[in-house]
Amino acid sequence: DAKGITAFQLDIKCEGLSINLLKRALNQAKEGRLHMLYHMLRAKKEPTEVLAPSVPKMVTMTIPQSAIGKVIGPGGAMIRS
C-alpha cells in the first residue's frame, strides 16, 4: 500500500548513528518501496481472480481454549518439533 507500512523492526547495534542518518535511511526506503509499488501496479492493476493450485494458501481457525494443550503439546513440545 502506498499510504504506509504496518510495521518495521529497527535493530541498531552500531553506536554513533545520528537521528538524521536514520531519517534519511527511512526516507530512502520509502522512496524505494513506492518505486517498486509503482512498477508492480503498472504490470498488474487488479488481483488475479483464480489462483493456481500451487499457490500457498492461508487458513485461519479458532482453537477452543480447552484444546490448546493438544495442539502445542506438553510444554510446547509440538511447536518446538
Side-chain angles (χ1 to χ4, degrees):
D1 186 301
K3 294 179 185 173
I5 56 174
T6 56
F8 72 94
Q9 181 176 342
L10 189 59
D11 188 8
I12 302 294
K13 293 187 174 111
C14 302
E15 292 182 26
L17 295 177
S18 68
I19 295 297
N20 284 336
L21 179 65
L22 295 175
K23 284 181 184 179
R24 199 169 99 212
L26 290 173
N27 283 328
Q28 285 178 335
K30 179 180 179 181
E31 288 176 19
R33 182 175 55 82
L34 293 176
H35 178 80
M36 287 186 282
L37 282 172
Y38 170 77
H39 286 285
M40 289 168 65
L41 289 172
R42 280 184 57 204
K44 188 162 187 78
K45 291 179 179 22
E46 298 293 326
T48 302
E49 291 292 326
V50 179
L51 299 176
S54 60
V55 172
K57 310 292 186 289
M58 184 172 85
V59 177
T60 302
M61 65 180 76
T62 301
I63 300 169
Q65 186 123 12
S66 60
I68 289 176
K70 294 176 184 175
V71 175
I72 65 173
M78 290 298 290
I79 290 176
R80 285 193 298 276
S81 65

